[in-house]
Amino acid sequence: MSAMTAAAEDLDLSVLPPDYRAAFEALQATAARAAELEEIVKRLEHLVAELNQVVHGKKSEKLSEDDRQLAFEDLETAVAEAREQKQTEAPGDDTPKRKRIARRNRGNLPEGLPRIERVIEPDSLDCPCGCGQMHKIGEDRSERLDIVPAQCRVIVTVRPKYACRTCTDGVTQAPTPPWLIEGGLPTEGAIAHVLVSKYADHLPVYRQSQILARSGIDIHRSTLADWVGVAAFHLGPVVDRLAEHLKTSTKLFMDETTAPVLDPGRGQTKTGYLWALARDDRAWGGDDPPGVVYFYAPDRRGENAEKFLKGFNGILQLDGYQGYNRLTRPDRKGGDPILVAHCWAHARRKLKEVFDRDGSEIAAEGLLRIAEFYAVEADIRGIAPGQRLSARKARTAPLVAAFGDWLQAQRKRVSAKSRLGEKLAYIHRHWDGLQTFLHDGRVEIDSNPVENLVRPIALNRKNALFAGHDEGGKAWGRIASLIETAKINGVEPFAYLKATLEAIANAHPQNRIDELLPWNVKPSS
């Protein structure tokens, strides 16, 4: 309680003259508002401190990317609420004031968006001096984003029939336009919307059915699922061609992630896998566009990787999963032995796990040594492969050699059965692959690009829980391949899928299928 409030309780205001009493009450109200603002400021300071902890604090490394984004959203929402409260409850007179415009990320309103102008005229154009009507000398314009919930509409196709009044030679009528689902309910745009909602926005079809029902449109989830299946079938050749295109490269990434699948025979789920095969040469200015294909397999056996990579010869960047070892053998099926580039991010992660748990000084030193490699990579990102290779030979190779000596020395000191010993042994087992990036400027230091492309699969897995069947897992991988490839090429997925499905419905020639690859399609606005 403030001193003024305490004094006010002891003071009998009724003995004061009216003017003094009103002034004292106004002073009390101002003091109360100031106290409220002080509490708001304290709350803001606390929220900003928490936000900084999420962004910069050590604990942020323990959060997944999705967890961090959720933390950002909720904390930023709370900060905005507190700021608005502070703005609204600021002491002062009752005169309406123009709110300060936030300078942080106001968003972007593209020129192509439809604009509806609302002109607000003054109540009167008569000059206050009585000398006549005022003339327009300018105007102020302000733009705000308005959102109308997704609008469903019905496309009515009318085909008039014509006949001759004189003869009876027949009736003429235009043919029905080609549809992806002949005689079906959806347009290609409706199908594309369901695909993007399911595989890009992670909305299972039963939730989409519920959303449509709120607009008065009763479409059962089984019908939506049927649309997805038809689209997956027709998009299959495009995905197959995308995979062929990727495998003509001489350097690719590969990773795998779980894809839970319902096992009807047991009434529960089993663990399937989506194997991501990706190309991303943007870090060194490669000419080939980036792309990714997700192959579904019911298990994680290495023979699946061998099958998916049939026809590929070159360098494969991946983690330390031993199932890939068969790809390096002379008797590899489907191509020459593959040269493996292992991932320093995984090596670092092993040491980080030990350091976070035990505070190991050996793990801490290993982390500092690896950080020196990444400092060089940050300097050479985006330059030509030859320049990257020269910089690595001059700056990184001595650091890696020193790390190798340090690694062997620590393995002699540490028990092989200890937690740290196991992590050091992991790095030792993959030592040759960890040095591949020192001999080719196109190779990355880690496989993070493909790990980023696996993340949307994990998001869909969390929302959809599981695929209903192995065939559903294949459709999942097929459509996700096109959506994610479109996204990393800067192509809007809905516009791409709509244009591609329309082209397929119009019997796009098989010998021109490359025109339907995501980086080649130019959807109309």
Side-chain angles (χ1 to χ4, degrees):
M1 183 182 295
S2 67
M4 177 176 293
T5 304
E9 289 183 352
D10 297 334
L11 180 63
D12 184 4
L13 299 181
S14 62
V15 302
L16 295 175
D19 292 343
Y20 285 92
R21 190 186 311 147
F24 192 83
E25 289 174 347
L27 187 60
Q28 278 186 297
T30 300
R33 283 200 295 263
E36 291 174 358
L37 284 174
E38 186 177 352
E39 290 299 318
I40 294 172
V41 169
K42 287 182 179 179
R43 183 188 176 203
L44 272 172
E45 290 174 347
H46 173 71
L47 290 170
V48 170
E50 286 194 354
L51 191 59
N52 283 330
Q53 173 65 25
V54 172
V55 178
H56 303 295
K58 292 183 179 179
K59 289 186 178 180
S60 65
E61 287 203 18
K62 298 180 182 179
L63 296 175
S64 69
E65 180 64 23
D66 302 332
D67 293 336
R68 280 199 294 274
Q69 293 303 324
L70 288 173
F72 291 154
E73 289 179 15
D74 289 342
L75 282 171
E76 288 169 346
T77 298
V79 168
E81 178 188 354
R83 283 178 174 160
E84 185 68 14
Q85 183 182 6
K86 179 182 176 183
Q87 178 77 22
T88 303
E89 298 183 2
D93 59 28
D94 296 331
T95 306
K97 295 183 179 179
R98 187 179 182 86
K99 289 187 178 180
R100 179 176 61 85
I101 298 175
R103 296 182 179 274
R104 180 175 58 89
N105 190 19
R106 291 190 61 203
N108 178 40
L109 301 179
E111 292 297 328
L113 284 182
R115 279 164 168 75
I116 300 174
E117 291 193 0
R118 297 175 179 173
V119 180
I120 304 175
E121 297 283 3
D123 293 336
S124 174
L125 296 179
D126 294 333
C127 180
C129 299
C131 52
Q133 196 173 41
M134 290 184 285
H135 299 278
K136 182 177 179 180
I137 59 173
E139 63 183 13
D140 290 330
R141 301 176 73 91
S142 58
E143 294 189 344
R144 296 188 302 155
L145 177 65
D146 186 33
I147 297 178
V148 179
Q151 294 182 340
C152 299
R153 63 184 184 181
V154 178
I155 304 297
V156 180
T157 302
V158 180
R159 297 186 298 130
K161 296 181 180 180
Y162 295 91
C164 179
R165 292 181 181 274
T166 304
C167 67
T168 57
D169 288 345
V171 176
T172 185
Q173 184 182 34
T176 303
W179 298 350
L180 190 72
I181 301 179
E182 291 295 337
L185 190 66
T187 65
E188 287 69 38
I191 298 172
H193 177 78
V194 172
L195 296 179
V196 171
S197 296
K198 179 173 173 63
Y199 296 107
D201 300 330
H202 319 299
L203 279 174
V205 291
Y206 79 87
R207 293 182 189 167
Q208 295 187 50
S209 177
Q210 294 169 350
I211 293 171
L212 288 169
R214 292 203 295 266
S215 299
I217 302 172
D218 184 15
I219 299 180
H220 195 267
R221 59 166 182 77
S222 61
T223 301
L224 298 179
D226 182 68
W227 299 356
V228 173
V230 171
F233 169 77
H234 287 288
L235 292 171
V238 182
V239 179
D240 293 342
R241 178 58 187 140
L242 174 59
E244 292 174 5
H245 199 285
L246 294 184
K247 287 189 285 188
T248 61
S249 305
T250 55
K251 183 185 73 67
L252 293 174
F253 297 89
M254 197 168 202
D255 197 8
E256 71 289 335
T257 188
T258 56
V261 175
L262 188 64
D263 189 356
R266 296 188 302 160
Q268 56 187 4
T269 59
K270 62 181 180 180
T271 301
Y273 286 85
L274 283 172
W275 301 65
L277 182 65
R279 176 178 65 203
D280 191 349
D281 298 338
R282 290 174 293 180
W284 50 271
D287 294 330
D288 291 328
V292 60
V293 172
Y294 303 97
F295 300 94
Y296 174 78
D299 53 56
R300 201 187 181 196
R301 289 183 295 179
E303 62 188 52
N304 292 313
E306 194 170 47
K307 179 177 67 176
F308 299 146
L309 288 166
K310 183 178 180 180
F312 169 70
N313 295 300
I315 300 173
L316 190 65
Q317 296 206 240
L318 37 78
D319 59 19
Y321 174 48
Q322 294 182 357
Y324 294 111
N325 292 347
R326 64 191 298 131
L327 301 173
T328 64
R329 299 171 184 167
D331 60 348
R332 174 208 165 194
K333 297 178 182 178
D336 299 328
I338 283 177
L339 178 62
V340 168
H342 282 124
C343 172
W344 273 102
H346 279 77
R348 179 190 181 280
R349 202 170 298 159
K350 299 295 183 182
L351 296 176
K352 186 71 169 57
E353 290 172 0
V354 176
F355 177 76
D356 287 344
R357 178 175 174 176
D358 306 329
S360 165
E361 293 183 1
I362 294 177
E365 183 178 353
L367 291 172
L368 289 174
R369 288 175 177 268
I370 294 174
E372 293 179 325
F373 309 164
Y374 275 89
V376 178
E377 291 302 303
D379 291 341
I380 63 177
R381 180 161 295 277
I383 65 177
Q387 295 173 293
R388 281 167 39 120
L389 182 59
S390 298
R392 286 171 176 170
K393 286 184 175 180
R395 299 171 59 187
T396 310
L399 298 174
V400 173
F403 184 95
D405 295 338
W406 171 86
L407 175 67
Q408 298 308 321
Q410 303 312 314
R411 292 189 68 218
K412 294 177 181 178
R413 294 175 51 193
V414 176
S415 169
K417 295 182 179 180
S418 68
R419 186 176 177 84
L420 177 58
E422 292 174 353
K423 307 302 183 185
L424 295 176
Y426 170 90
I427 299 174
H428 172 72
R429 284 197 306 272
H430 300 95
W431 186 244
D432 290 342
L434 287 170
Q435 296 184 80
T436 303
F437 82 110
L438 296 176
H439 309 297
D440 192 324
R442 301 169 304 157
V443 177
E444 298 303 317
I445 191 173
D446 55 39
S447 56
N448 284 350
V450 71
E451 288 199 1
N452 293 334
L453 291 171
V454 166
R455 185 170 294 118
I457 300 297
L459 283 173
N460 207 51
R461 182 173 63 224
K462 289 180 180 179
N463 285 274
L465 301 182
F466 51 80
H469 192 273
D470 284 333
E471 293 302 317
K474 294 177 182 178
W476 183 356
R478 192 175 296 161
I479 298 170
S481 299
L482 297 178
I483 288 176
E484 295 305 318
T485 299
K487 285 165 61 177
I488 58 178
N489 281 279
V491 177
E492 201 283 308
F494 169 78
Y496 164 72
L497 287 174
K498 180 176 181 291
T500 302
L501 293 174
E502 288 174 344
I504 293 172
N506 282 279
H508 188 86
Q510 179 70 23
N511 60 1
R512 289 166 44 201
I513 197 169
D514 280 10
E515 296 174 4
L516 301 183
L517 295 176
W519 52 76
N520 288 330
V521 171
K522 306 297 181 187
S524 59
S525 59

